[in-house]
């Protein structure tokens, strides 16, 4: 079983839809939870991060962490064609150590 | 501008040849990483370095080698021993404190025929 599981999609939605992207994990030591966005043939860029449990909102994006269920989500409201990309969840424990990535979910927002 | 540069963007090699991918950063980060990305498999860690003159194997180090002689530079050599080298290679560096964010370069697409 992988430490981090993410539905690879692809996911196709109409413009304006609410998108929900999810990851599950098995390591209870994870404390930092991140979402990266990767456009085609580019390097990933950090979209949002959350420490421990709770919600974090940034414009149209909301990140949620439920440590009791070992489940994290990224919600995109009023999705735009420019949101079309691959979204990667990533997580790690405290201090140093490796960042563990999910497989990535490919999202397409149709005009 | 601060950031990570990788060169070249596209690289073509014949089977049996070693090839070195460049990664340079001017973010003053101690830690640097190399990942390989294949369709549907996310990012897989090849090697990482937490400080100059030190590096550790990641999950898929076989057939690869690295050096870390300078803080700014972390080149990756794909050797002829790597059985399936065609992939998208990403270099990253990491901040020294929370949230330990990794910044990625633009990537190098290596094709071996």
């Amino acid at each position: 079983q992988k430490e981090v599981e993410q539905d690879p999609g692809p996911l196709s939605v109409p413009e304006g839809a609410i998108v929900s992207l999810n990851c599950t994990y098995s390591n209870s030591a994870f404390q930092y939870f991140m979402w990266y966005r990767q456009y085609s043939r580019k390097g990933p860029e950090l979209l949002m991060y959350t420490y421990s449990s709770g919600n974090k909102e940034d414009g149209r994006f909301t990140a949620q962490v439920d440590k009791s269920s070992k489940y994290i989500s990224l919600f995109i409201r009023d999705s735009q064609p420019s949101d079309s990309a691959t979204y990667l969840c990533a997580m790690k424990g405290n201090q140093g150590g490796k960042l563990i990535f999910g497989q990535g979910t490919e999202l397409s927002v149709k005009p | 501008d601060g950031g990570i540069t990788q060169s070249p963007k596209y690289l073509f090699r014949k089977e049996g040849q070693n090839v070195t991918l460049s990664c340079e950063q001017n973010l003053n980060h101690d830690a640097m990483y190399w990942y390989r990305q294949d369709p549907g498999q996310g990012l897989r860690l090849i090697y990482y370095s937490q400080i100059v003159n030190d590096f550790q194997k990641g999950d898929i180090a076989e057939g690869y080698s690295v050096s870390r002689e300078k803080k700014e530079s972390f080149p990756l050599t794909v050797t002829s021993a790597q059985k399936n080298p065609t992939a998208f290679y990403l270099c990253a560096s990491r901040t020294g404190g929370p949230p330990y964010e990794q910044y990625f370069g633009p990537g190098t697409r290596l094709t071996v025929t």
Side-chain angles (χ1 to χ4, degrees), chain A residues 86-102:
Chain A
T86 296
Y87 291 80
L88 297 139
C89 65
M91 47 199 81
K92 69 182 300 298
N94 278 325
Q95 306 290 330
K98 295 184 286 185
L99 193 59
I100 309 298
F101 286 87

Side-chain angles (χ1 to χ4, degrees), chain B residues 35-98:
Chain B
Y35 294 91
R36 170 182 172 138
Q37 187 173 35
D38 296 283
Q41 296 203 45
L43 302 181
R44 293 187 289 167
L45 182 64
I46 304 172
Y47 267 98
Y48 64 103
S49 168
Q50 303 213 56
I51 200 165
V52 173
N53 292 323
D54 187 47
F55 47 83
Q56 287 80 40
K57 293 182 180 179
D59 302 315
I60 55 164
E62 186 176 348
Y64 299 98
S65 66
V66 293
S67 62
R68 186 84 187 278
E69 296 176 3
K70 298 188 301 182
K71 188 175 186 176
E72 300 79 17
S73 178
F74 191 39
L76 173 75
T77 297
V78 184
T79 75
S80 56
Q82 168 50 233
K83 293 188 184 351
N84 187 18
T86 294
F88 188 51
Y89 290 88
L90 287 159
C91 178
S93 69
R94 194 200 74 196
T95 60

